[in-house]
Amino acid sequence: MMGKPSEPSITQINVEELAQRLSSGDPIQLVDVREPQEVAIAYIDGFVNLPLSEFPDWADQVNTRLDPHAETLVLCHHGIRSAQMCQWLVVQGFTNVKNIMGGIDAYSTLVDSSIPQY
């Protein structure tokens, strides 16, 4: 899952926008690419965990596990791994992918301080 020079640009949203989207009740697809031990420390309800380290285990199932046409928001710790995942999803044909800038770390700081930081 390495980047190439012709990577598509990825739409970014901030954590405040994520909070609004979560409270809106609108249908959105939520993907968390952090490791299981990270999710055990801090998580946001509703996210499907697809750890990047387990990419070979789930990559060929992504189009059956996720809807390529649904709005898809991708989360990690700070926003780097999620950006990589967003780029890969776009290459796979996903049409509405957004990276959550700052990741769960920013969400904990700016939106919900009850989520532990690590």
Short mmCIF file of all heavy atoms in Angstrom, two decimals, residues 51-111:
data_model
loop_
_atom_site.label_atom_id
_atom_site.label_comp_id
_atom_site.label_asym_id
_atom_site.label_seq_id
_atom_site.Cartn_x
_atom_site.Cartn_y
_atom_site.Cartn_z
N PRO A 51 -7.15 -2.70 10.50
CA PRO A 51 -5.77 -2.29 10.76
C PRO A 51 -4.90 -2.39 9.51
O PRO A 51 -4.93 -3.38 8.80
CB PRO A 51 -5.29 -3.28 11.82
CG PRO A 51 -6.53 -3.92 12.37
CD PRO A 51 -7.55 -3.86 11.28
N LEU A 52 -4.11 -1.34 9.28
CA LEU A 52 -3.24 -1.35 8.10
C LEU A 52 -2.25 -2.51 8.15
O LEU A 52 -1.90 -3.06 7.12
CB LEU A 52 -2.49 -0.03 7.96
CG LEU A 52 -3.30 1.14 7.42
CD1 LEU A 52 -2.38 2.32 7.12
CD2 LEU A 52 -4.09 0.78 6.19
N SER A 53 -1.81 -2.90 9.35
CA SER A 53 -0.86 -4.01 9.45
C SER A 53 -1.46 -5.33 8.99
O SER A 53 -0.74 -6.26 8.66
CB SER A 53 -0.36 -4.16 10.89
OG SER A 53 -1.42 -4.57 11.73
N GLU A 54 -2.80 -5.41 8.97
CA GLU A 54 -3.49 -6.63 8.54
C GLU A 54 -4.04 -6.49 7.12
O GLU A 54 -4.91 -7.25 6.70
CB GLU A 54 -4.61 -6.96 9.53
CG GLU A 54 -4.09 -7.23 10.93
CD GLU A 54 -5.19 -7.40 11.96
OE1 GLU A 54 -6.37 -7.63 11.57
OE2 GLU A 54 -4.88 -7.29 13.15
N PHE A 55 -3.52 -5.51 6.38
CA PHE A 55 -3.97 -5.23 5.02
C PHE A 55 -4.11 -6.49 4.16
O PHE A 55 -5.15 -6.67 3.52
CB PHE A 55 -3.00 -4.23 4.37
CG PHE A 55 -3.33 -3.88 2.95
CD1 PHE A 55 -4.37 -3.01 2.64
CD2 PHE A 55 -2.59 -4.41 1.90
CE1 PHE A 55 -4.68 -2.69 1.33
CE2 PHE A 55 -2.88 -4.09 0.59
CZ PHE A 55 -3.93 -3.23 0.31
N PRO A 56 -3.12 -7.41 4.14
CA PRO A 56 -3.28 -8.61 3.31
C PRO A 56 -4.49 -9.46 3.69
O PRO A 56 -5.04 -10.17 2.85
CB PRO A 56 -1.98 -9.39 3.54
CG PRO A 56 -1.00 -8.37 4.01
CD PRO A 56 -1.81 -7.37 4.80
N ASP A 57 -4.90 -9.38 4.95
CA ASP A 57 -6.02 -10.20 5.43
C ASP A 57 -7.38 -9.68 4.97
O ASP A 57 -8.33 -10.45 4.85
CB ASP A 57 -6.02 -10.29 6.96
CG ASP A 57 -4.77 -10.97 7.49
OD1 ASP A 57 -4.18 -11.80 6.75
OD2 ASP A 57 -4.38 -10.67 8.63
N TRP A 58 -7.51 -8.36 4.76
CA TRP A 58 -8.83 -7.81 4.43
C TRP A 58 -8.90 -7.08 3.08
O TRP A 58 -9.98 -6.76 2.63
CB TRP A 58 -9.34 -6.89 5.54
CG TRP A 58 -8.43 -5.78 5.97
CD1 TRP A 58 -7.68 -5.73 7.10
CD2 TRP A 58 -8.18 -4.55 5.30
NE1 TRP A 58 -6.96 -4.55 7.17
CE2 TRP A 58 -7.25 -3.80 6.06
CE3 TRP A 58 -8.63 -3.99 4.09
CZ2 TRP A 58 -6.78 -2.55 5.69
CZ3 TRP A 58 -8.14 -2.73 3.71
CH2 TRP A 58 -7.24 -2.04 4.51
N ALA A 59 -7.77 -6.84 2.44
CA ALA A 59 -7.76 -6.02 1.21
C ALA A 59 -8.67 -6.56 0.12
O ALA A 59 -9.40 -5.80 -0.52
CB ALA A 59 -6.33 -5.88 0.68
N ASP A 60 -8.66 -7.87 -0.09
CA ASP A 60 -9.47 -8.43 -1.17
C ASP A 60 -10.96 -8.48 -0.84
O ASP A 60 -11.78 -8.76 -1.69
CB ASP A 60 -8.96 -9.81 -1.58
CG ASP A 60 -9.00 -10.83 -0.46
OD1 ASP A 60 -9.18 -10.43 0.72
OD2 ASP A 60 -8.85 -12.02 -0.75
N GLN A 61 -11.33 -8.17 0.42
CA GLN A 61 -12.74 -8.18 0.83
C GLN A 61 -13.31 -6.78 0.98
O GLN A 61 -14.48 -6.63 1.33
CB GLN A 61 -12.88 -8.88 2.18
CG GLN A 61 -12.32 -10.27 2.23
CD GLN A 61 -12.12 -10.73 3.67
OE1 GLN A 61 -12.49 -10.05 4.62
NE2 GLN A 61 -11.50 -11.90 3.82
N VAL A 62 -12.51 -5.74 0.71
CA VAL A 62 -12.94 -4.38 1.04
C VAL A 62 -14.20 -3.98 0.27
O VAL A 62 -15.05 -3.29 0.81
CB VAL A 62 -11.78 -3.36 0.88
CG1 VAL A 62 -11.55 -3.01 -0.59
CG2 VAL A 62 -12.04 -2.13 1.70
N ASN A 63 -14.33 -4.41 -0.97
CA ASN A 63 -15.52 -4.04 -1.75
C ASN A 63 -16.78 -4.79 -1.33
O ASN A 63 -17.88 -4.36 -1.67
CB ASN A 63 -15.27 -4.22 -3.25
CG ASN A 63 -14.45 -3.08 -3.81
OD1 ASN A 63 -14.78 -1.92 -3.62
ND2 ASN A 63 -13.35 -3.40 -4.48
N THR A 64 -16.63 -5.88 -0.58
CA THR A 64 -17.80 -6.57 -0.06
C THR A 64 -18.11 -6.14 1.37
O THR A 64 -19.26 -6.16 1.79
CB THR A 64 -17.63 -8.10 -0.12
OG1 THR A 64 -16.45 -8.46 0.59
CG2 THR A 64 -17.56 -8.59 -1.55
N ARG A 65 -17.09 -5.73 2.10
CA ARG A 65 -17.30 -5.28 3.49
C ARG A 65 -17.75 -3.82 3.56
O ARG A 65 -18.38 -3.42 4.52
CB ARG A 65 -16.01 -5.45 4.29
CG ARG A 65 -15.66 -6.92 4.51
CD ARG A 65 -14.45 -7.09 5.36
NE ARG A 65 -14.71 -6.71 6.75
CZ ARG A 65 -13.78 -6.77 7.70
NH1 ARG A 65 -12.57 -7.19 7.41
NH2 ARG A 65 -14.07 -6.41 8.92
N LEU A 66 -17.37 -3.04 2.56
CA LEU A 66 -17.70 -1.61 2.53
C LEU A 66 -18.40 -1.26 1.22
O LEU A 66 -18.15 -1.89 0.20
CB LEU A 66 -16.42 -0.77 2.65
CG LEU A 66 -15.56 -0.98 3.90
CD1 LEU A 66 -14.27 -0.20 3.79
CD2 LEU A 66 -16.32 -0.59 5.16
N ASP A 67 -19.24 -0.25 1.26
CA ASP A 67 -19.94 0.23 0.07
C ASP A 67 -19.07 1.29 -0.61
O ASP A 67 -18.83 2.35 -0.03
CB ASP A 67 -21.28 0.84 0.48
CG ASP A 67 -22.07 1.40 -0.69
OD1 ASP A 67 -21.53 1.49 -1.82
OD2 ASP A 67 -23.23 1.77 -0.47
N PRO A 68 -18.60 1.03 -1.83
CA PRO A 68 -17.70 1.98 -2.50
C PRO A 68 -18.36 3.32 -2.84
O PRO A 68 -17.67 4.27 -3.17
CB PRO A 68 -17.24 1.25 -3.76
CG PRO A 68 -18.03 0.00 -3.86
CD PRO A 68 -18.79 -0.20 -2.59
N HIS A 69 -19.68 3.40 -2.75
CA HIS A 69 -20.36 4.64 -3.10
C HIS A 69 -20.88 5.40 -1.88
O HIS A 69 -21.40 6.52 -2.01
CB HIS A 69 -21.50 4.36 -4.09
CG HIS A 69 -21.00 3.66 -5.32
ND1 HIS A 69 -20.16 4.26 -6.23
CD2 HIS A 69 -21.19 2.39 -5.76
CE1 HIS A 69 -19.86 3.39 -7.18
NE2 HIS A 69 -20.48 2.26 -6.92
N ALA A 70 -20.72 4.82 -0.70
CA ALA A 70 -21.15 5.50 0.53
C ALA A 70 -20.10 6.52 0.96
O ALA A 70 -18.91 6.35 0.67
CB ALA A 70 -21.35 4.48 1.64
N GLU A 71 -20.54 7.56 1.64
CA GLU A 71 -19.58 8.49 2.22
C GLU A 71 -18.76 7.72 3.25
O GLU A 71 -19.32 7.10 4.16
CB GLU A 71 -20.29 9.67 2.88
CG GLU A 71 -19.33 10.66 3.48
CD GLU A 71 -19.99 11.86 4.12
OE1 GLU A 71 -21.23 11.84 4.32
OE2 GLU A 71 -19.28 12.81 4.43
N THR A 72 -17.45 7.74 3.10
CA THR A 72 -16.56 6.95 3.93
C THR A 72 -15.57 7.87 4.63
O THR A 72 -14.80 8.58 3.97
CB THR A 72 -15.80 5.91 3.07
OG1 THR A 72 -16.75 5.11 2.35
CG2 THR A 72 -14.92 5.02 3.92
N LEU A 73 -15.60 7.87 5.96
CA LEU A 73 -14.68 8.68 6.76
C LEU A 73 -13.66 7.74 7.39
O LEU A 73 -14.02 6.73 7.98
CB LEU A 73 -15.44 9.43 7.85
CG LEU A 73 -16.65 10.26 7.40
CD1 LEU A 73 -17.26 10.99 8.58
CD2 LEU A 73 -16.26 11.25 6.31
N VAL A 74 -12.37 8.10 7.26
CA VAL A 74 -11.30 7.21 7.70
C VAL A 74 -10.50 7.88 8.81
O VAL A 74 -10.10 9.03 8.70
CB VAL A 74 -10.38 6.82 6.52
CG1 VAL A 74 -9.35 5.79 6.97
CG2 VAL A 74 -11.20 6.26 5.35
N LEU A 75 -10.26 7.11 9.88
CA LEU A 75 -9.63 7.60 11.11
C LEU A 75 -8.38 6.79 11.43
O LEU A 75 -8.34 5.58 11.20
CB LEU A 75 -10.64 7.44 12.26
CG LEU A 75 -10.19 7.81 13.67
CD1 LEU A 75 -10.24 9.33 13.84
CD2 LEU A 75 -11.08 7.14 14.71
N CYS A 76 -7.39 7.46 12.00
CA CYS A 76 -6.25 6.78 12.63
C CYS A 76 -5.85 7.61 13.85
O CYS A 76 -6.67 8.36 14.39
CB CYS A 76 -5.10 6.56 11.65
SG CYS A 76 -4.22 8.06 11.14
N HIS A 77 -4.61 7.51 14.29
CA HIS A 77 -4.18 8.23 15.49
C HIS A 77 -4.01 9.73 15.21
O HIS A 77 -4.53 10.56 15.95
CB HIS A 77 -2.89 7.62 16.03
CG HIS A 77 -2.51 8.12 17.40
ND1 HIS A 77 -1.24 8.00 17.88
CD2 HIS A 77 -3.23 8.73 18.37
CE1 HIS A 77 -1.20 8.52 19.11
NE2 HIS A 77 -2.40 8.96 19.43
N HIS A 78 -3.30 10.07 14.14
CA HIS A 78 -3.05 11.48 13.81
C HIS A 78 -3.47 11.90 12.40
O HIS A 78 -3.44 13.08 12.09
CB HIS A 78 -1.56 11.80 13.99
CG HIS A 78 -1.11 11.77 15.42
ND1 HIS A 78 -0.25 10.82 15.89
CD2 HIS A 78 -1.43 12.57 16.47
CE1 HIS A 78 -0.04 11.05 17.19
NE2 HIS A 78 -0.74 12.08 17.56
N GLY A 79 -3.81 10.96 11.54
CA GLY A 79 -4.26 11.32 10.20
C GLY A 79 -3.34 10.89 9.07
O GLY A 79 -3.65 11.12 7.91
N ILE A 80 -2.22 10.26 9.38
CA ILE A 80 -1.26 9.84 8.35
C ILE A 80 -1.68 8.50 7.73
O ILE A 80 -1.83 8.38 6.52
CB ILE A 80 0.17 9.73 8.93
CG1 ILE A 80 0.58 11.03 9.61
CG2 ILE A 80 1.16 9.32 7.83
CD1 ILE A 80 0.58 12.25 8.76
N ARG A 81 -1.88 7.50 8.58
CA ARG A 81 -2.29 6.18 8.06
C ARG A 81 -3.66 6.26 7.40
O ARG A 81 -3.91 5.60 6.37
CB ARG A 81 -2.32 5.14 9.19
CG ARG A 81 -0.94 4.76 9.68
CD ARG A 81 -1.01 3.83 10.87
NE ARG A 81 -1.37 4.60 12.07
CZ ARG A 81 -1.62 4.07 13.26
NH1 ARG A 81 -1.61 2.76 13.42
NH2 ARG A 81 -1.92 4.83 14.29
N SER A 82 -4.55 7.07 7.96
CA SER A 82 -5.88 7.19 7.36
C SER A 82 -5.79 7.83 5.98
O SER A 82 -6.54 7.47 5.07
CB SER A 82 -6.83 7.96 8.27
OG SER A 82 -6.30 9.20 8.65
N ALA A 83 -4.87 8.77 5.79
CA ALA A 83 -4.69 9.38 4.47
C ALA A 83 -4.21 8.33 3.47
O ALA A 83 -4.67 8.31 2.31
CB ALA A 83 -3.70 10.54 4.55
N GLN A 84 -3.32 7.44 3.90
CA GLN A 84 -2.86 6.36 3.02
C GLN A 84 -4.04 5.46 2.63
O GLN A 84 -4.19 5.07 1.47
CB GLN A 84 -1.79 5.51 3.71
CG GLN A 84 -0.50 6.25 3.94
CD GLN A 84 0.46 5.42 4.78
OE1 GLN A 84 0.06 4.63 5.63
NE2 GLN A 84 1.75 5.62 4.54
N MET A 85 -4.86 5.14 3.61
CA MET A 85 -6.04 4.29 3.35
C MET A 85 -6.99 4.99 2.39
O MET A 85 -7.53 4.35 1.47
CB MET A 85 -6.74 3.98 4.67
CG MET A 85 -8.00 3.16 4.51
SD MET A 85 -7.67 1.48 3.93
CE MET A 85 -9.21 0.69 4.43
N CYS A 86 -7.21 6.28 2.57
CA CYS A 86 -8.10 7.04 1.67
C CYS A 86 -7.60 6.95 0.23
O CYS A 86 -8.39 6.71 -0.68
CB CYS A 86 -8.18 8.50 2.10
SG CYS A 86 -9.15 8.77 3.60
N GLN A 87 -6.30 7.15 0.05
CA GLN A 87 -5.75 7.08 -1.31
C GLN A 87 -5.96 5.70 -1.91
O GLN A 87 -6.35 5.58 -3.07
CB GLN A 87 -4.27 7.45 -1.27
CG GLN A 87 -4.06 8.91 -0.98
CD GLN A 87 -2.62 9.27 -0.70
OE1 GLN A 87 -1.81 8.42 -0.33
NE2 GLN A 87 -2.30 10.53 -0.85
N TRP A 88 -5.75 4.66 -1.12
CA TRP A 88 -5.94 3.30 -1.61
C TRP A 88 -7.40 3.05 -1.95
O TRP A 88 -7.71 2.46 -2.99
CB TRP A 88 -5.42 2.30 -0.58
CG TRP A 88 -5.53 0.89 -1.04
CD1 TRP A 88 -4.70 0.24 -1.92
CD2 TRP A 88 -6.56 -0.05 -0.70
NE1 TRP A 88 -5.15 -1.05 -2.12
CE2 TRP A 88 -6.28 -1.25 -1.38
CE3 TRP A 88 -7.67 0.01 0.13
CZ2 TRP A 88 -7.07 -2.39 -1.27
CZ3 TRP A 88 -8.47 -1.12 0.25
CH2 TRP A 88 -8.17 -2.30 -0.44
N LEU A 89 -8.33 3.51 -1.09
CA LEU A 89 -9.75 3.31 -1.37
C LEU A 89 -10.17 3.99 -2.66
O LEU A 89 -10.95 3.42 -3.44
CB LEU A 89 -10.60 3.82 -0.19
CG LEU A 89 -10.58 2.97 1.08
CD1 LEU A 89 -11.27 3.70 2.22
CD2 LEU A 89 -11.19 1.60 0.85
N VAL A 90 -9.67 5.19 -2.92
CA VAL A 90 -10.00 5.88 -4.17
C VAL A 90 -9.52 5.06 -5.36
O VAL A 90 -10.25 4.90 -6.35
CB VAL A 90 -9.41 7.31 -4.17
CG1 VAL A 90 -9.50 7.93 -5.55
CG2 VAL A 90 -10.13 8.17 -3.14
N VAL A 91 -8.33 4.51 -5.28
CA VAL A 91 -7.81 3.67 -6.36
C VAL A 91 -8.70 2.43 -6.55
O VAL A 91 -8.88 1.96 -7.67
CB VAL A 91 -6.34 3.27 -6.08
CG1 VAL A 91 -5.86 2.20 -7.04
CG2 VAL A 91 -5.45 4.50 -6.13
N GLN A 92 -9.32 1.95 -5.46
CA GLN A 92 -10.20 0.79 -5.53
C GLN A 92 -11.59 1.14 -6.08
O GLN A 92 -12.44 0.27 -6.21
CB GLN A 92 -10.36 0.14 -4.16
CG GLN A 92 -9.06 -0.31 -3.53
CD GLN A 92 -8.22 -1.16 -4.45
OE1 GLN A 92 -8.67 -2.17 -4.97
NE2 GLN A 92 -6.99 -0.74 -4.67
N GLY A 93 -11.83 2.42 -6.34
CA GLY A 93 -13.10 2.82 -6.92
C GLY A 93 -14.06 3.49 -5.94
O GLY A 93 -15.21 3.77 -6.31
N PHE A 94 -13.62 3.74 -4.71
CA PHE A 94 -14.48 4.44 -3.76
C PHE A 94 -14.62 5.89 -4.20
O PHE A 94 -13.65 6.52 -4.62
CB PHE A 94 -13.91 4.34 -2.34
CG PHE A 94 -14.18 3.01 -1.68
CD1 PHE A 94 -13.59 1.85 -2.15
CD2 PHE A 94 -15.05 2.92 -0.61
CE1 PHE A 94 -13.85 0.62 -1.57
CE2 PHE A 94 -15.32 1.69 -0.02
CZ PHE A 94 -14.72 0.54 -0.50
N THR A 95 -15.84 6.41 -4.13
CA THR A 95 -16.13 7.70 -4.76
C THR A 95 -16.31 8.86 -3.78
O THR A 95 -16.35 10.01 -4.21
CB THR A 95 -17.42 7.58 -5.61
OG1 THR A 95 -18.49 7.13 -4.76
CG2 THR A 95 -17.23 6.61 -6.76
N ASN A 96 -16.41 8.58 -2.47
CA ASN A 96 -16.68 9.66 -1.51
C ASN A 96 -15.93 9.37 -0.21
O ASN A 96 -16.52 9.01 0.80
CB ASN A 96 -18.19 9.78 -1.26
CG ASN A 96 -18.54 11.01 -0.45
OD1 ASN A 96 -17.69 11.81 -0.08
ND2 ASN A 96 -19.82 11.15 -0.15
N VAL A 97 -14.60 9.52 -0.27
CA VAL A 97 -13.72 9.18 0.84
C VAL A 97 -13.16 10.46 1.45
O VAL A 97 -12.74 11.37 0.73
CB VAL A 97 -12.56 8.29 0.34
CG1 VAL A 97 -11.60 7.96 1.45
CG2 VAL A 97 -13.10 7.03 -0.31
N LYS A 98 -13.14 10.50 2.80
CA LYS A 98 -12.62 11.68 3.49
C LYS A 98 -11.71 11.24 4.63
O LYS A 98 -12.04 10.35 5.40
CB LYS A 98 -13.77 12.53 4.04
CG LYS A 98 -14.64 13.09 2.94
CD LYS A 98 -15.85 13.80 3.46
CE LYS A 98 -16.71 14.26 2.29
NZ LYS A 98 -18.06 14.58 2.67
N ASN A 99 -10.57 11.91 4.71
CA ASN A 99 -9.61 11.67 5.78
C ASN A 99 -9.94 12.58 6.97
O ASN A 99 -10.21 13.76 6.80
CB ASN A 99 -8.19 11.95 5.29
CG ASN A 99 -7.15 11.63 6.33
OD1 ASN A 99 -7.24 10.62 7.03
ND2 ASN A 99 -6.16 12.48 6.45
N ILE A 100 -9.89 12.03 8.17
CA ILE A 100 -10.15 12.81 9.38
C ILE A 100 -8.82 13.37 9.88
O ILE A 100 -7.98 12.63 10.42
CB ILE A 100 -10.84 11.94 10.46
CG1 ILE A 100 -12.16 11.39 9.90
CG2 ILE A 100 -11.06 12.75 11.73
CD1 ILE A 100 -12.77 10.27 10.71
N MET A 101 -8.62 14.67 9.66
CA MET A 101 -7.36 15.33 10.02
C MET A 101 -7.17 15.31 11.54
O MET A 101 -8.10 15.59 12.29
CB MET A 101 -7.36 16.79 9.57
CG MET A 101 -7.40 16.98 8.08
SD MET A 101 -7.31 18.74 7.63
CE MET A 101 -8.74 19.42 8.47
N GLY A 102 -5.97 14.97 11.96
CA GLY A 102 -5.65 14.97 13.38
C GLY A 102 -6.03 13.69 14.09
O GLY A 102 -5.61 13.44 15.22
N GLY A 103 -6.86 12.86 13.44
CA GLY A 103 -7.22 11.55 13.97
C GLY A 103 -7.89 11.60 15.33
O GLY A 103 -8.42 12.62 15.77
N ILE A 104 -7.86 10.45 15.99
CA ILE A 104 -8.53 10.33 17.28
C ILE A 104 -7.84 11.19 18.34
O ILE A 104 -8.47 11.63 19.30
CB ILE A 104 -8.66 8.85 17.73
CG1 ILE A 104 -9.74 8.72 18.80
CG2 ILE A 104 -7.32 8.31 18.16
CD1 ILE A 104 -10.24 7.32 19.01
N ASP A 105 -6.57 11.49 18.15
CA ASP A 105 -5.85 12.35 19.08
C ASP A 105 -6.50 13.74 19.11
O ASP A 105 -6.79 14.28 20.18
CB ASP A 105 -4.37 12.43 18.69
CG ASP A 105 -3.54 13.13 19.73
OD1 ASP A 105 -3.43 12.61 20.87
OD2 ASP A 105 -3.01 14.22 19.43
N ALA A 106 -6.74 14.31 17.94
CA ALA A 106 -7.38 15.63 17.86
C ALA A 106 -8.82 15.56 18.34
O ALA A 106 -9.31 16.49 19.00
CB ALA A 106 -7.32 16.16 16.43
N TYR A 107 -9.51 14.46 18.04
CA TYR A 107 -10.90 14.31 18.48
C TYR A 107 -10.97 14.34 20.00
O TYR A 107 -11.83 15.00 20.60
CB TYR A 107 -11.49 13.00 17.93
CG TYR A 107 -12.98 12.89 18.08
CD1 TYR A 107 -13.84 13.44 17.14
CD2 TYR A 107 -13.54 12.24 19.17
CE1 TYR A 107 -15.23 13.34 17.27
CE2 TYR A 107 -14.91 12.13 19.32
CZ TYR A 107 -15.75 12.69 18.36
OH TYR A 107 -17.12 12.58 18.50
N SER A 108 -10.04 13.63 20.66
CA SER A 108 -10.00 13.61 22.11
C SER A 108 -9.70 15.00 22.68
O SER A 108 -10.30 15.42 23.67
CB SER A 108 -8.94 12.61 22.59
OG SER A 108 -8.78 12.69 23.98
N THR A 109 -8.80 15.73 22.05
CA THR A 109 -8.41 17.06 22.52
C THR A 109 -9.49 18.10 22.28
O THR A 109 -9.80 18.90 23.17
CB THR A 109 -7.11 17.51 21.81
OG1 THR A 109 -6.08 16.56 22.09
CG2 THR A 109 -6.67 18.88 22.27
N LEU A 110 -10.10 18.09 21.09
CA LEU A 110 -10.98 19.18 20.69
C LEU A 110 -12.48 18.89 20.83
O LEU A 110 -13.28 19.82 20.87
CB LEU A 110 -10.69 19.56 19.23
CG LEU A 110 -9.25 20.03 18.96
CD1 LEU A 110 -9.01 20.14 17.46
CD2 LEU A 110 -8.97 21.34 19.68
N VAL A 111 -12.86 17.62 20.87
CA VAL A 111 -14.29 17.28 20.85
C VAL A 111 -14.73 16.53 22.10
O VAL A 111 -15.71 16.92 22.73
CB VAL A 111 -14.64 16.46 19.59
CG1 VAL A 111 -16.10 16.02 19.61
CG2 VAL A 111 -14.34 17.26 18.33
#
